[in-house]
Amino acid sequence: MKEQKAILLLLLTSLIWGLAFVAQSVSSESVGPFTFNAIRMLLGAITLLPFSLPLFRKHLNDREYWKKAITGGILCGLCLGAASVTQQIGVSSSGAGKGGFITSLYIVIVPFMSLAVGQKIKKNIWISAVIAIIGMYLLSIGEGFSISSGDLWLILCAFLFALHIMVIDHTGKDVDGIVLSFFQFLTAGILCSVGMIFEAPQLSAVLEAWLPILYAGIFSCGIAYTLQVVGQRYVRPSRAVFALSLESVWAAIGGVLILSEKLSAKELIGCLLVFGAVLIAEAEPQKRST
């Protein structure tokens, strides 16, 4: 697959993810973060199972392939499960639009994590980091230099999603994207199911949030995360995160049009600065280490 086509897959991923922030915000009124993510992740695994079975049979006797697929899926699933739960907690408090922009900070974080695998940080990344910090201040810091707990959860979520990007890049090259996605959803679903036990969800509450959970499970997980894994195989991490970062724009649009969310002038400027930082981070694509 050519890189241009792979980027289109990642752009579609960003649209699906952006609208998923709306689903997360709506569902948070009925179910807890572990319940929401346990069901959506397992739905994602179930959605991919029919497409995974032919690939399972293809590699049935390839022990090395299974080792890479299962190990990669577990590592990706641990990152994804932790990131999704922290994101859900943050979105339930801070809203879909704001949550999308704070989460998008992972685009700035990824190049710094790339230091661990031998990449150098170029000038544009340092500039984007400074702008992102200013944007985050305007977006999240209130009077008396305070920051809400929801925003803190979203900042943690951004770091976890940055880690998820790096893990996919490291583990996803020699494994079919659908297979890797299946195992990461299964892992994340099991992980979140443990937390769901302590939330003691009621069936009526789950049924009340069936539509956003269904969207998040089938589209955001089953389709979008698979498009991410497939697309990222042909796109460098620094370019991939730029395409994926547009989810913040779709989240803000969805929050305004569907949830009637509003941002203050200060928060709106913060959003613009955060998005500008993302663009600057990609102004001079980093070369991959070999």
Side-chain angles (χ1 to χ4, degrees):
M1 181 184 294
K2 293 183 178 180
E3 188 174 34
Q4 291 84 348
K5 291 184 178 180
I7 289 177
L8 290 177
L9 292 181
L10 296 179
L11 289 174
L12 177 58
T13 299
S14 72
L15 171 61
I16 297 173
W17 280 352
L19 296 180
F21 278 95
V22 175
Q24 289 176 248
S25 182
V26 172
S27 65
S28 67
E29 299 175 2
S30 303
V31 296
F34 284 101
T35 300
F36 174 79
N37 282 292
I39 299 174
R40 74 180 286 208
M41 296 298 173
L42 293 176
L43 273 175
I46 293 171
T47 301
L48 291 183
L49 184 57
F51 305 99
S52 300
L53 288 175
L55 296 171
F56 291 165
R57 289 193 291 268
K58 176 182 177 182
H59 300 282
L60 187 61
N61 298 316
D62 190 343
R63 296 181 62 182
E64 187 63 25
Y65 179 88
W66 281 102
K67 180 180 177 181
K68 291 179 179 179
I70 294 174
T71 301
I74 290 174
L75 291 174
C76 290
L78 290 173
C79 294
L80 178 61
S84 298
V85 168
T86 54
Q87 184 184 65
Q88 181 70 2
I89 295 172
V91 167
S92 66
S93 174
S94 297
K98 194 174 180 182
F101 277 99
I102 296 178
T103 299
S104 70
L105 284 175
Y106 70 82
I107 288 84
V108 178
I109 297 170
V110 165
F112 286 92
M113 287 188 172
S114 297
L115 281 172
V117 293
Q119 289 186 354
K120 295 181 179 179
I121 295 180
K122 297 185 178 181
K123 184 188 296 185
N124 63 306
I125 299 299
W126 291 108
I127 294 173
S128 90
V130 172
I131 294 175
I133 290 171
I134 296 173
M136 276 297 304
Y137 174 83
L138 295 175
L139 186 59
S140 301
I141 305 298
E143 295 182 4
F145 205 75
S146 62
I147 183 170
S148 72
S149 60
D151 291 351
L152 287 174
W153 281 109
L154 289 168
I155 292 172
L156 174 59
C157 156
F159 276 94
L160 291 170
F161 272 124
L163 181 60
H164 183 240
I165 289 279
M166 298 302 296
V167 171
I168 286 178
D169 183 61
H170 181 70
T171 64
K173 300 301 181 185
D174 301 319
V175 180
D176 294 287
I178 292 176
V179 172
L180 186 66
S181 285
F182 171 79
F183 282 115
Q184 79 164 350
F185 293 144
L186 185 62
T187 299
I190 294 172
L191 177 68
C192 292
S193 294
V194 175
M196 181 177 71
I197 296 174
F198 297 96
E199 290 179 348
Q202 299 294 318
L203 179 60
S204 58
V206 174
L207 293 176
E208 186 177 330
W210 72 269
L211 184 57
I213 291 176
L214 202 63
Y215 175 86
I218 295 177
F219 288 90
S220 181
C221 285
I223 296 176
Y225 275 109
T226 301
L227 292 178
Q228 178 203 7
V229 172
V230 173
Q232 229 186 284
R233 297 180 67 181
Y234 305 95
V235 181
R236 290 169 297 176
S238 58
R239 296 197 69 187
V241 293
F242 168 64
L244 297 174
S245 71
L246 292 176
E247 69 172 303
S248 63
V249 177
W250 300 119
I253 293 174
V256 171
L257 296 181
I258 301 175
L259 302 179
S260 300
E261 293 181 354
K262 294 182 180 180
L263 295 172
S264 67
K266 172 172 161 289
E267 290 173 332
L268 183 58
I269 293 173
C271 288
L272 293 175
L273 286 175
V274 168
F275 188 63
V278 169
L279 296 179
I280 291 173
E282 287 304 308
E284 187 182 356
Q286 292 180 312
K287 291 183 179 181
R288 217 182 211 181
S289 301
T290 55

